[in-house]
Amino acid sequence: MITRGTSMPYRTSPTWEVELLISAASVFTLVQLPGWLDGEFLRLQIRLHDHYLNALVFPLFLYVKAAVVCLAATFLIHLCLRAYWVGLIGLDSVFPGGPNLEHLNQGPHYKAHLSRHYRSDSADGIERADNRSTLVFGFGVGLALIMIIPTVLVGLAAGLALAMKPLVGSKSALTLSMLLFVLPLMLTMVVPALVDKAFGARFAAESRVGRALARCYGLMRRIHMDGTGNRLIMYLYGRAKTYRSAVLLFAAGGMLLGFLSATDVPRLSQVRSQDKAAMSMERSDYASERGGNMRFALRAHIPAARIEGGWLDVTVPLPPRQPANDLPGCQASDAPAIRRCLLAHASLAIDGKALPVQWQIQEARDGAPPALRALVDVGALRRGQHRLTLDYLPHARQPAQAWREHILFWN
């Protein structure tokens, strides 16, 4: 039904103006946030410079990025749906009553087909478009809010692991933080729900099991892990039978957004094993061609492809984990052990000829991890192309697994 003097339906969602305001004001900022988050994630990985802590930071970043991508996609889709709704209202005000099928120059059967599709009043179609927009807005924001609790939990676990690292080492700190913090919370959330669903009907509320379940749910309520804090999604759960297609749509949408967020996660470019080491030129080999890309912060490099002055400046960033090797004293993964082993065993060759090299330690600076650095005299080399080969640590039993990098240069 249409109000007199206007084509706005009586049952129009009362929040449509606020929805449009929020979507329009937020979508452009949110679209730019994923790129900014990628850069901050890489900076955090480089700053931590720890294989195990980085493994804990990864899900933290993934949750935040999934929430941002979900909100950006929600507001963008909502704007499109609202634009369609506005178009329907505008056209209905120009042509009241909906399409006039008698004006179509088509056959009778096609007209009958269209009549079945447009048999309802035009206000019903406008109302469906309005409801569809509000559903997308509400459930999209609800999906994003789901990421808040996991983000907080993983963030606290990461902080706990970082605090314990000086005492027990990063590997043990990661394990202990998961055992002491995340695992009990997950068990508190999952086990009572499973027991309640499978055996809850057998126990009265006053029984020992009933009281234990109530206490568990009370604890979950206090830490906002029982779902009552996300009323948007509870609407979806509570209407699952009525809005079955909506449930499937938003479940598939959530999975798709999560997949897109995971596949688009920026990763630091790692050193390759000997059998996969690139033999050709790569932009990451030269500091002058990296363009500030932090993805290559852990890859060895020289200043430029062409060497001036007869000296080759080689920088080898220390990796966050021990390179593949079978040396008895180089199996630990802590930073001092990695530094000690690379200082003693990293080797350098030019055109297949091993050269004596004195590595120096360059401490970490903004945007760059600690590194080995050396100046190699190449003044006696013939003019033309040469190949620098860097071997991190020897691996006698599995040579193909040892880390190696090749860098082409000209003098």
Side-chain angles (χ1 to χ4, degrees):
M1 285 68 67
I2 308 296
T3 59
R4 293 186 181 275
T6 179
S7 58
M8 187 73 71
Y10 283 116
R11 291 174 292 191
T12 297
S13 298
T15 59
W16 70 270
E17 292 174 304
V18 179
E19 291 175 19
L20 276 174
L21 179 62
I22 293 175
S23 295
S26 305
V27 67
F28 299 107
T29 301
L30 289 171
V31 166
Q32 300 176 52
L33 268 182
W36 178 82
L37 286 173
D38 290 348
E40 292 303 310
F41 176 56
L42 290 178
R43 286 190 181 90
L44 181 58
Q45 283 187 305
I46 295 169
R47 190 175 297 114
L48 290 175
H49 199 252
D50 188 286
H51 179 63
Y52 298 102
L53 291 182
N54 285 344
L56 191 56
V57 168
F58 174 78
L60 177 64
F61 167 80
L62 186 59
Y63 291 143
V64 174
K65 187 170 183 180
V68 170
V69 171
C70 184
L71 284 175
T74 294
F75 292 153
L76 188 60
I77 295 172
H78 174 261
L79 282 177
C80 295
L81 292 176
R82 278 295 172 193
Y84 175 75
W85 172 73
V86 170
L88 286 180
I89 292 177
L91 287 177
D92 193 75
S93 66
V94 178
F95 305 106
N100 189 342
L101 303 182
E102 297 302 323
H103 290 173
L104 297 180
N105 187 19
Q106 300 290 342
H109 295 284
Y110 184 65
K111 286 185 177 181
H113 165 71
L114 292 178
S115 298
R116 288 190 295 270
H117 182 73
Y118 288 104
R119 64 177 178 268
S120 60
D121 190 273
S122 60
D124 293 334
I126 295 174
E127 184 182 348
R128 283 195 299 270
D130 175 39
N131 293 339
R132 191 159 50 241
S133 301
T134 300
L135 281 172
V136 168
F137 186 90
F139 293 136
V141 174
L143 284 174
L145 291 177
I146 288 177
M147 302 297 174
I148 291 180
I149 297 301
T151 300
V152 172
L153 292 180
V154 176
L156 292 175
L160 180 62
L162 192 60
M164 292 190 297
K165 177 185 174 181
L167 302 176
V168 298
S170 57
K171 183 177 182 179
S172 299
L174 172 63
T175 304
L176 287 174
S177 67
M178 298 299 289
L179 291 176
L180 297 177
F181 192 83
V182 177
L183 185 61
L185 288 174
M186 294 304 295
L187 291 177
T188 303
M189 182 174 64
V190 174
V191 173
L194 293 177
V195 172
D196 191 10
K197 186 174 182 179
F199 310 107
R202 303 180 185 180
F203 304 100
E206 296 78 12
S207 66
R208 182 178 301 177
V209 175
R211 292 195 302 271
L213 288 175
R215 285 194 293 270
C216 288
Y217 290 142
L219 175 62
M220 290 165 57
R221 176 70 182 92
R222 284 193 292 272
I223 59 178
H224 301 283
M225 292 185 64
D226 62 342
T228 57
N230 194 341
R231 190 174 292 270
L232 295 172
I233 293 300
M234 290 307 297
Y235 272 110
L236 179 62
Y237 292 159
R239 294 284 185 167
K241 293 182 179 180
T242 306
Y243 294 103
R244 186 170 302 173
S245 59
V247 174
L248 295 176
L249 174 63
F250 287 106
M255 294 176 61
L256 178 61
L257 289 169
F259 174 77
L260 291 176
S261 300
T263 54
D264 193 36
V265 170
R267 301 181 184 276
L268 292 170
S269 181
Q270 301 292 325
V271 183
R272 304 179 183 96
S273 57
Q274 180 174 323
D275 59 336
K276 297 178 181 178
M279 303 290 288
S280 58
M281 291 183 70
E282 293 186 305
R283 292 185 181 274
S284 61
D285 293 339
Y286 315 106
S288 61
E289 299 185 21
R290 288 189 169 188
N293 194 330
M294 291 179 293
R295 287 186 59 248
F296 306 116
L298 298 182
R299 298 293 301 275
H301 62 274
I302 60 178
R306 183 174 178 178
I307 305 304
E308 302 287 351
W311 290 92
L312 180 63
D313 188 354
V314 183
T315 301
V316 184
L318 294 177
R321 61 188 177 95
Q322 192 70 275
N325 71 92
D326 56 359
L327 299 173
C330 295
Q331 302 306 311
S333 293
D334 57 282
I338 296 172
R339 178 179 301 199
R340 184 173 57 251
C341 290
L342 289 179
L343 276 171
H345 300 286
S347 61
L348 185 149
I350 294 180
D351 298 333
K353 180 181 178 181
L355 298 178
V357 59
Q358 294 294 324
W359 296 110
Q360 302 296 323
I361 292 292
Q362 178 176 279
E363 296 299 338
R365 60 185 189 275
D366 185 34
L372 304 181
R373 192 170 179 182
L375 289 174
V376 182
D377 186 0
V378 294
L381 292 178
R382 61 174 176 79
R383 292 182 61 82
Q385 175 182 304
H386 302 279
R387 183 185 302 277
L388 181 151
T389 301
L390 173 68
D391 286 297
Y392 282 71
L393 295 179
H395 202 315
R397 288 179 296 179
Q398 295 179 302
Q401 298 302 313
W403 293 6
R404 171 176 287 182
E405 291 191 86
H406 297 284
I407 300 177
L408 295 177
F409 68 93
W410 285 258
N411 62 347

